[in-house]
Amino acid sequence: MNGKTKKRTSLPQLTKQLMAIDDRLAGCMHCGLCQAVCPVYGVTLKEADVSRGKIVLLENLAYELLKDADGVGEKLDRCLLCGSCRSNCPSGVDTVEIFLHARRLITDYRGLGKIKKTVFRFILPHPGLMSFFVAFSGRFQRFFRRKANKSMGTFEFPILRPFAGKRHFQPLATKSFSAEYGKINTSAGKSGIKVAFFPGCVPDKLFVRIAQASMKAFEKNGVGVFMPGSLVCCGIPNLVSGDYVSFKRLVKTNLGLLKKAEFDYLVSPCATCVSSIKENWFRYRDDFTDDERRQIEEIHGKAMDITAFLIDVLNVEFKTSGSETCKRRVTYHDSCHLKKTLGIYAQPRNILKNLSGLEFVEMPEADRCCGSGGSFTLTQHKLANQIGQRKRNCVVSINPDIVAAACPACMLQLMDMLSQNGDSVEVKHVVELYADSLGR
Ligand code: SF4
Ligand code: SF4
């Protein structure tokens, strides 16, 4: 055990807590079918990286922790929590739930690192502070960035190398969406529907154009919108790092802000937020007060990804295709959270196939993970890059003008991978392309 390790839970306590997942571990028959779909194993070919290997590790966790607690944490961190193994498991083992639970136990045992503690407990819960950082970084970014790929308009930030390697980013926003719009409360129009809009941290602070496109889609379809000015993160970064305390605090803050509002659906353009709200908030609902649990159950039924909302609820109509002779080729990347967690894959394709001026082309391995996985790209940068290269090769193999996605985290990874290879492919959210088709 190195000096960084800080025990918060004793080993006997931990062993007792582990018994809670014993029956779920026993569901694994060690068939190894998860190997074929695991993006991490696909690169490393190491048994320890696939879910079967991790399950074996967890079966002997108490012993392994005594041997090398930090090593156990590192092995569990080499996972994108993409759910590919879960959706391909013949025994129906909920690997994602098992790994989340294990990360929580291990964080309780080892403690949380200083950087994560600061971000999760002091920055994420304070949207005002986040907006200040966005405004500050956006204003002074020109002093810290270097042009990376001219045709894609991306930059490298050498100052971020210790955390993010040589990633390529789009320019930072100078004002967050929530700082620009403040509180929103508009009445339902011709649709008779009102939504609570949950933009998500990346569309709020980085890809502001996605949040703006969502607002345009609501407005043009006569959908009323409610957005309290200060929604906080959905909590997924905290949960995947095992910091359940701050995850719960963020959920409680969001529940408080949404409590008195009346809305038919809660809609987000971020697949990760929707899956976190529908799956993770709901999974841990019994740890909240009775009122909060009821609210979580209600939101669970109302939370929707924006592409599913446009197709399944609004049943939007598309302008019939004109006589364009020169259509732009668009392909689509399935976010793991959208397809594997929420089962949504037809709706975004339906939109793209019906937009005039676009020719939809399916890429190979469209639903293979892009290697993003939130903080995975920061903690496992080399692996994330290797996984992302395979996705980039699939994208460029069909020579598209645009690659569309419905998850801003995937968009960051796609943009980085394409830009680093000197490609020139636009990376767009499906709702942006839809909003473009609506005119002014
Ligand atoms: S596919 Fe499922 S049952 Fe088979 S080894 Fe992987 S987790 Fe276990
Ligand atoms: S969740 Fe994804 S990365 Fe993690 S073990 Fe399963 S397939 Fe591999």
Side-chain angles (χ1 to χ4, degrees):
M1 232 176 272
N2 70 28
K4 280 189 301 178
T5 305
K6 182 180 157 199
K7 284 188 197 175
R8 296 174 65 211
T9 308
S10 68
L11 201 57
Q13 279 173 319
L14 182 67
T15 312
K16 206 170 153 197
Q17 287 166 353
L18 275 170
M19 287 162 71
I21 54 170
D22 259 5
D23 55 336
R24 280 166 272 171
L25 294 176
C28 173
M29 55 185 181
H30 297 195
C31 65
L33 284 177
C34 38
Q35 283 186 347
V37 293
C38 176
V40 180
Y41 180 82
V43 168
T44 66
L45 299 179
K46 284 186 184 161
E47 176 66 13
D49 287 334
V50 77
S51 47
R52 180 174 64 179
K54 289 185 171 62
I55 285 171
V56 170
L57 177 80
L58 293 173
E59 285 166 348
N60 302 298
L61 191 59
Y63 168 71
E64 296 286 349
L65 280 173
L66 266 182
K67 246 184 12 182
D68 179 12
D70 292 326
V72 170
E74 277 155 29
K75 281 181 189 153
L76 284 178
D77 281 349
R78 286 165 70 86
C79 170
L80 287 142
L81 296 168
C82 65
S84 303
C85 47
R86 177 172 66 177
S87 55
N88 203 48
C89 176
S91 304
V93 180
D94 191 344
T95 48
V96 175
E97 193 208 351
I98 291 172
F99 299 153
L100 281 175
H101 193 83
R103 285 184 185 195
R104 179 177 161 188
L105 296 184
I106 286 167
T107 298
D108 282 350
Y109 180 70
R110 299 166 71 209
L112 198 65
K114 278 187 187 141
I115 295 179
K116 284 189 173 178
K117 203 175 207 171
T118 307
V119 173
F120 296 160
R121 301 194 180 179
F122 300 104
I123 298 180
L124 287 185
H126 300 107
L129 198 56
M130 294 271 286
S131 291
F132 169 77
F133 281 133
V134 171
F136 182 82
S137 322
R139 205 161 156 204
F140 296 106
Q141 61 183 307
R142 62 184 185 282
F143 300 116
F144 302 106
R145 69 187 190 193
R146 254 203 320 248
K147 261 195 190 132
N149 178 322
K150 205 172 163 194
S151 60
M152 288 187 67
T154 48
F155 292 88
E156 205 200 317
F157 289 81
I159 200 172
L160 295 179
R161 269 197 197 158
F163 314 103
K166 292 183 178 177
R167 294 201 76 176
H168 290 188
F169 297 92
Q170 72 155 41
L172 303 171
T174 49
K175 201 169 189 184
S176 68
F177 171 78
S178 50
E180 193 180 331
Y181 278 67
K183 286 181 189 165
I184 303 171
N185 198 359
T186 60
S187 310
K190 66 178 180 195
S191 72
I193 292 170
K194 182 153 184 171
V195 299
F197 183 44
F198 197 98
C201 293
V202 182
D204 185 51
K205 293 163 184 69
L206 194 62
F207 288 123
V208 173
R209 54 189 164 91
I210 298 175
Q212 289 165 337
S214 306
M215 288 300 292
K216 186 173 173 185
F218 295 140
E219 188 199 323
K220 293 279 182 181
N221 285 289
V223 174
V225 181
F226 169 74
M227 187 186 82
S230 49
L231 281 167
V232 293
C233 172
C234 68
I236 189 76
N238 313 52
L239 195 61
V240 301
S241 293
D243 189 16
Y244 187 70
V245 174
S246 61
F247 162 76
K248 206 171 153 192
R249 198 180 299 156
L250 291 173
V251 177
K252 277 176 169 285
T253 303
N254 282 323
L255 290 175
L257 290 163
L258 294 167
K259 198 173 174 183
K260 293 202 176 117
E262 288 194 4
F263 53 90
D264 304 296
Y265 299 93
L266 181 143
V267 179
S268 177
C270 177
T272 302
C273 292
V274 180
S275 73
S276 178
I277 291 167
K278 276 188 101 73
E279 192 174 62
N280 296 322
W281 292 17
F282 191 69
R283 174 181 287 141
Y284 298 109
R285 65 194 183 281
D286 290 338
D287 294 349
F288 290 78
T289 65
D290 284 350
D291 280 351
E292 287 168 340
R293 180 179 46 73
R294 276 191 286 275
Q295 201 187 348
I296 289 173
E297 284 166 357
E298 195 187 328
I299 287 175
H300 171 77
K302 290 181 173 179
M304 284 195 95
D305 155 71
I306 195 157
T307 65
F309 177 70
L310 291 173
I311 295 295
D312 299 342
V313 177
L314 294 183
N315 197 13
V316 290
E317 289 176 1
F318 300 92
K319 285 186 188 142
T320 46
S321 176
S323 55
E324 301 95 350
T325 47
C326 185
K327 292 191 172 192
R328 302 185 77 205
R329 282 166 73 83
V330 62
T331 191
Y332 176 71
H333 158 71
D334 285 290
S335 144
C336 295
H337 286 130
L338 204 55
K339 184 172 182 195
K340 288 160 198 146
T341 306
L342 300 170
I344 292 166
Y345 53 93
Q347 296 91 329
R349 285 178 172 76
N350 191 340
I351 294 172
L352 296 173
K353 286 176 184 172
N354 280 291
L355 292 177
S356 71
L358 294 181
E359 176 199 0
F360 180 77
V361 197
E362 197 73 63
M363 73 165 97
E365 300 187 347
D367 66 352
R368 189 156 180 108
C369 179
C370 65
S372 173
S375 57
F376 184 89
T377 47
L378 303 177
T379 57
Q380 309 288 338
H381 185 66
K382 193 171 164 208
L383 256 180
N385 247 322
Q386 290 169 306
I387 296 166
Q389 280 300 323
R390 179 165 170 168
K391 174 59 68 175
R392 174 264 168 192
N393 293 345
C394 289
V395 172
V396 298
S397 72
I398 50 144
N399 196 24
D401 298 297
I402 306 165
V403 55
C407 179
C410 298
M411 288 171 65
L412 279 171
Q413 173 79 341
L414 290 168
M415 186 176 274
D416 179 27
M417 292 297 109
L418 291 160
S419 177
Q420 284 199 38
N421 280 280
D423 301 316
S424 179
V425 181
E426 260 192 278
V427 181
K428 290 247 188 182
H429 194 289
V430 177
V431 77
E432 286 184 271
L433 294 167
Y434 171 72
D436 287 349
S437 76
L438 298 173
R440 290 187 156 264

